[in-house]
Amino acid sequence: MNTARLRDRVAASDPGLLRLAAGLRTVGAIALTLAVLGVLGSDVRHLVAGAIAAMVATFAIREKQRAAQAVTLALGLPVALVSLSLGALLSSRVLAGDLFFVALIFCAVYSRRFGERGTALGLIGFQVYFVSLFVGATVSGLPELYGVLCVAFLCSATARFLLVRETPAGLLERLREAFRARLAQLVTAQLRLLDAGPDEMDDALEDVREGTARLHETALMIQGRLEEGTADAGAARLVQRRIADAEIAAERLGLLLLTARSSERADTLTLHLPGAPAPRAGRMPGRDEAMARVRRDLEALRLLVLRPVAARSGTGLSQIRNRLLGYREEDNLPPVPPAVQDVFRGIGESARAVLGLRIALDGPQDESDDSPATARSREELDAEDAVIDAREEDGGTQEELTGLSRPTTRAAVQVAVGSALAIVGGEFLSSQRWYWAVLTCWIVFINTASTGEILVKGYRRLLGTVLGVLAGIVLAGSVGQHTWTAFALVLVLVFAMFYTAPLSYTLMSFFVTAALGLLYTLLHTYTLSVLVLRVEETALGAACGVFAAAFVLPVRTDRRTNDLLVTVLERLDEVTEAAVDQLSGGTPEELLDQARDLDQALADLRAATQPLTHPITPLRARRDTARYVVALLETCAYHARSLAATAELLPTHPSIAADPRLRRAGRRIGDNIAAIAAHVADERSTARVETGPSIASLLESEVPGTPRFGRVTDRVLRHVQRLDETLVGLARPLDVPVAAPRR
């Protein structure tokens, strides 16, 4: 049990074991290279060159398909050999070498426009040129270094394709397990929210927020791997559907728990705005009886997520499953206040989502112990599966992106100018180690697209370098000249660097600087002044990068976030319009794909606003506004995602059917999204957000005796209503005029 719990925690903390695999693959390539070179009797300088080359050849390649990885690795070797040769040839020609280095940097950044392969080859070319400078490559020593590079690339291929193999199907399977583990963690956090006292409420709610965000992150990762990891398009579609069901059901359950704990319906924004005050919880209605039952059922739900129902009949898990699915039937709900009954309904819907997830991931389940409620849930799932299987695949090709050359060229020009400044300044600091400034300038431009992002990344790089220098002093003094002990520590630091890279850029910089301190020791160039120079060069490189980003074809953070905000609003409009149209009786579309496009656009916006929300930003009001806007958009995305998932149930769900009156509500939502997008794109826009009667009143029938909401469920109505209200709320922080309600 402890082993299984540990495995679940690892799977949840590192979805797909991506960080673990990257670290092991890189360390394996370096260790194998050192072993081979050691057997061949290579000196320390060649060992260092081989270790860095193996690391570069491993981490530069990011393609998903193994065949594509092999091609890129094969192309990378001649690129590395040419780069090494030019580095050695130009080492004695200072001006020509500097000019070539700047041209190489420009080409390496510009190559991003050619996709992952272009990015990898550009990175290999730049880093191997850097290796030639680091180890002092000469023309006479090129034959030995050629052999070192060949060994490094072969060892990298061995580590990638044999030692730490990664197949798309295997990675997708690990991501699925991570989703299960994170779903279980979210249910555990909801349990703590249920039991939290007044003083513990804020912390418990923060745990639920974090769990919800991490579950959503894993769902996005699975979405990005479905095409490569699943041979059958129908199976991929089914997994996508079940992942979306589970994600939405879990998030809704958290909202229902908040509502049951407060005196009024909880605002969806509460789950998406970090630091938002928790609803003040009094005593839960029917607390003494209901609390124990809700807690027991949440624990049972967590057990169902982590453990499949055993194949043999009569098991306790099958009885638990039947009980939880029974809450989907009104007759099985306990006699408790309505808010608490909603919690039991939410538990029942979550259990159904878990059942669907099990069937999609593990195949058919034993049905011998099914209760009538469970059998009905299976029938619904089977009907949905049949609709998915029968749905024709969209034969259209994705629209090719245009206009990519301009941002790529701009970034290449910026980094080239910044690197030229870094070369000049670095030469003043040290004629021997000026390339550290260039390396930092290069690195702060990687995966950044605005001045603010580069500023934050440069700050983190400098902080990590300063701390790494201190660690390097301690390690270098402890290891001394023990070559293989130093290399063993380098391997540990490299693994830590890759394992922490997605989590903290500061930590990654710390580990890489500490490792470089050990490499200096091995090359007999370690002194305190060298490590201090490393900090100075890093600060200079970061400053040159920020200067180039700010004054050479600058992309202001505001401009980038506005562009991404417009993209999010466009995706939101597409999803909402398609979902409402389908709920109104329109033609079915691939709504979940559109919903994931919205999620990805929102993730890009969230990343771009980091400079605005970073703790070091002095503009507190602006930081709070950015957080509030992103939280409102996450709320909109949740409701749009829920509408999309509900709309896809129309052909099969007995209690959901199309209602043409929804189109009237959808038009107002679409007009308001367009008004906000127009104002963000151009502040001179005169478009206004319209308010008016509630969505429920828009659905009132003019025919006496007609049911109030036709066949549209209350849940659909709630999502549409909350989306409408959130858009009005979004208009205010963006300074979009709000029209007075029409009378």
Side-chain angles (χ1 to χ4, degrees), residues 645-723:
T646 304
E648 290 209 341
L649 295 177
L650 280 177
T652 60
H653 204 285
S655 60
I656 301 176
D659 190 325
R661 290 174 294 177
L662 271 175
R663 283 198 177 92
R664 185 179 175 189
R667 280 195 296 271
R668 187 168 81 186
I669 291 175
D671 291 343
N672 285 344
I673 294 175
I676 296 173
H679 188 82
V680 172
D682 184 1
E683 293 182 354
R684 295 169 297 181
S685 171
T686 59
R688 298 188 301 174
V689 168
E690 298 288 341
T691 61
S694 68
I695 297 298
S697 66
L698 293 178
L699 300 185
E700 293 285 359
S701 174
E702 299 177 357
V703 180
T706 303
R708 184 180 181 189
F709 300 134
R711 293 180 294 170
V712 177
T713 63
D714 288 341
R715 187 185 307 175
V716 171
L717 189 60
R718 268 201 306 271
H719 287 308
V720 177
Q721 179 71 47
R722 290 295 297 125
L723 182 57

Side-chain angles (χ1 to χ4, degrees), residues 498-530:
F498 280 92
Y499 194 78
T500 59
L503 304 178
S504 170
Y505 187 70
T506 301
L507 273 178
M508 187 203 75
S509 300
F510 166 79
F511 288 121
V512 72
T513 303
L516 287 171
L518 289 173
L519 294 179
Y520 278 137
T521 303
L522 294 171
L523 292 173
H524 308 292
T525 56
Y526 164 77
T527 63
L528 179 60
S529 61
V530 167

